Amino acid sequence: MLTAKDVTAGYSAPVITDVSLTVAPGQTVGLAGPSGSGKSTLARVLALLHKPFAGTVEIDGETVTGFRFQARQRTKIGVLFQQPRLSVDPRFTLRRAIAEPLKDQDRVGELADLVMLTDDLLGRRPHEVSDGQLQRACLARALALDPRYLICDEMTTMLDASTTAALVGVIRAYQERTGAGVLAISHDATLLNRWADETVRL
């Protein structure tokens, strides 16, 4: 399980206080709440990208001791952010963006097929593709190391309905194949009602 226990976190001051949340393997937990409630802060803590002021994060029963560059368990968690254009080096082709975490470059084609990216798109840079195509590449990169948990932080905000449905379908198929747990953060109550097994509000 991916668990936050009594987490207080923020930046110059706390944004969330004493928050607890658990994502079990194979489960999709929705996270909702108004802007400024701390959804993205909690996501960054659970992704081991931001160290909390207090509380603990556990991954499969093991307490996390390092965050950011010291996070030994970081590869167990894949992250998909709201704005793909801020997530990819603009100099990279989509092929290079997907390959970034990989040692075996041969997997790029397999991952591209998984998210329905054609070979001609892989040679393009971010400014040459749509938000939906770029987010597909970001999902492929997030799945590259076969994470045990996937955190989707408002990943569909900039996408149309058909692309949203396609990406959710890819994630569901990945869950069925691997038993991964998913934290789905969204303002879209309809999406969470359809996607999540349960929804927590901040």
Side-chain angles (χ1 to χ4, degrees):
M1 291 189 287
L2 176 62
T3 305
K5 291 185 176 181
D6 302 321
V7 165
T8 295
Y11 303 93
S12 57
V15 176
I16 53 174
T17 303
D18 295 330
V19 172
S20 296
L21 181 145
T22 295
V23 180
Q27 180 188 35
T28 299
V29 174
L31 183 61
S35 295
S37 61
K39 300 185 301 297
S40 292
T41 299
L42 181 58
R44 289 181 61 81
V45 170
L46 284 168
L48 313 188
L49 297 173
H50 186 76
K51 186 176 181 178
F53 297 143
T56 58
V57 174
E58 292 183 2
I59 301 176
D60 297 332
E62 183 181 4
T63 299
V64 171
T65 57
F67 288 81
R68 293 181 65 82
F69 301 111
Q70 297 176 336
R72 178 176 55 81
Q73 298 144 306
R74 179 69 187 81
T75 57
K76 291 186 177 181
I77 302 170
V79 187
L80 201 59
F81 295 106
Q82 175 179 348
Q83 296 180 301
R85 298 193 185 281
L86 300 180
S87 303
V88 177
D89 189 319
R91 299 167 297 178
F92 284 8
T93 62
L94 299 197
R95 183 185 302 280
R96 186 175 174 189
I98 295 170
E100 195 174 5
L102 291 170
K103 292 181 180 178
D104 179 6
Q105 304 297 303
D106 293 338
R107 286 202 64 210
V108 171
E110 170 194 334
L111 290 162
D113 288 343
L114 187 69
V115 299
M116 296 160 285
L117 279 177
T118 57
D119 195 59
D120 65 304
L121 289 172
L122 294 180
R124 299 182 188 179
R125 290 178 170 78
H127 72 276
E128 298 173 315
V129 299
S130 69
D131 287 336
Q133 291 164 339
L134 187 56
Q135 193 68 300
R136 288 172 190 265
C138 290
L139 176 55
R141 182 179 62 182
L143 298 180
L145 297 180
D146 299 319
R148 292 278 295 136
Y149 301 94
L150 184 65
I151 296 174
C152 303
D153 187 5
E154 299 279 7
M155 74 167 193
T156 64
T157 299
M158 304 181 73
L159 308 181
D160 59 35
S162 62
T163 303
T164 294
L167 291 185
V168 170
V170 170
I171 292 169
R172 280 178 165 161
Y174 178 77
Q175 283 182 279
E176 289 174 7
R177 189 172 74 253
T178 66
V182 172
L183 179 64
I185 301 169
S186 181
H187 284 97
D188 188 337
T190 301
L191 174 64
L192 291 181
N193 286 339
R194 293 176 178 173
W195 185 9
D197 300 309
E198 65 174 82
T199 297
V200 176
R201 289 193 63 85
L202 287 182

